[in-house]
Amino acid sequence: MPNSSNPANKPFLPQRGNFRGLIAFQKTECIYDITVLFTRKYLTKGDRTIDQMVQAARSGKQNIAEGCAASTTSRETEIKLLNVAKASLQELLLDYEDYLRINNLEQWAVVNPRLKKLRTICTENNASAYYRDLFNKCTPEMAANLAITLIHQTDVFLRKLIDRVQSDFLQTGGIREQMTRARLAHRTLN
């Protein structure tokens, strides 16, 4: 019977990929839902911006999932896809800012009490159902500022996640290094 405390019997590639547990993923799901609702309600059918906004929101969410799924064997792919998620959300951020500007609506400044309250709400809630319900009570200005706030918060979480992945890579190396260490350990014990 193999000894589980023996390093040669442990998997050298720990399973990763629990993207649903990541706050960044949870928030991108909220952003996606809000964006779908926002574009349906406030943009004119046939407007190309609808597809662009929905696809940017989807890309933010899907690239986190795909990057995490690839993380078991490729930290490089994980980092690249997390960066794609970040870039997609920045594109979406510009669309919301453009909407506010073009429609003469206010993008709430950091000192605005409404933004302070919104930031607290977004910090405390990561369930997309919560935001779908909240969206039904929003004006277009509030809905856009809600999405902007979530995008800013998600950007911070993605930056921290990318930093953690980089740190993990520096500590454990890539798949080739892990495979070599596991093979050498196996040879030493046998």
Side-chain angles (χ1 to χ4, degrees):
M1 174 174 233
N3 179 353
S4 63
S5 65
N6 180 343
N9 294 325
K10 289 185 179 179
F12 64 91
L13 290 176
Q15 287 300 305
R16 299 183 187 352
N18 180 20
F19 60 88
R20 292 187 189 279
L22 295 173
I23 293 173
F25 178 81
Q26 294 165 7
K27 288 196 179 294
T28 57
E29 188 172 70
C30 301
I31 293 165
Y32 175 80
D33 289 0
I34 289 169
T35 300
V36 169
L37 295 172
F38 185 90
T39 58
R40 283 181 188 165
K41 188 170 183 176
Y42 300 121
L43 298 181
T44 306
K45 191 173 184 164
D47 183 342
R48 286 191 59 213
T49 307
I50 294 171
D51 288 339
Q52 291 171 332
M53 289 179 73
V54 171
Q55 287 307 311
R58 182 184 182 280
S59 176
K61 182 171 77 74
Q62 300 301 106
N63 278 293
I64 292 171
E66 188 177 350
C68 289
S71 68
T72 298
T73 56
S74 178
R75 291 297 197 171
E76 178 184 0
T77 300
E78 180 182 21
I79 291 168
K80 284 180 181 178
L81 291 171
L82 291 173
N83 273 309
V84 170
K86 252 174 96 39
S88 294
L89 293 175
Q90 289 304 306
E91 177 186 345
L92 182 61
L93 175 66
L94 292 173
D95 286 327
Y96 279 110
E97 291 172 346
D98 290 346
Y99 177 86
L100 289 171
R101 186 183 66 256
I102 289 168
N103 289 285
N104 294 315
L105 299 171
E106 181 184 356
Q107 182 175 343
W108 298 343
V110 175
V111 294
N112 187 318
R114 293 177 294 178
L115 181 60
K116 289 180 181 184
K117 183 177 179 182
L118 195 55
R119 289 170 71 184
T120 300
I121 288 169
C122 292
T123 299
E124 295 173 352
N125 298 284
N126 297 325
S128 61
Y130 176 85
Y131 292 100
R132 289 190 308 272
D133 182 54
L134 180 61
F135 180 85
N136 292 324
K137 302 168 190 159
C138 287
T139 64
E141 182 178 295
M142 183 181 173
N145 278 286
L146 172 61
I148 288 169
T149 302
L150 282 167
I151 292 167
H152 283 303
Q153 288 184 352
T154 305
D155 190 67
V156 170
F157 282 108
L158 279 170
R159 179 74 255 151
K160 289 179 181 179
L161 181 58
I162 291 166
D163 288 346
R164 190 186 81 215
V165 171
Q166 290 173 347
S167 177
D168 288 351
F169 175 78
L170 291 174
Q171 290 178 357
T172 62
I175 186 171
R176 292 184 197 279
E177 292 167 296
Q178 293 172 22
M179 290 170 71
T180 300
R181 279 194 301 272
R183 183 71 180 136
L184 291 173
H186 179 77
R187 283 183 184 166
T188 303
L189 296 171
N190 291 328

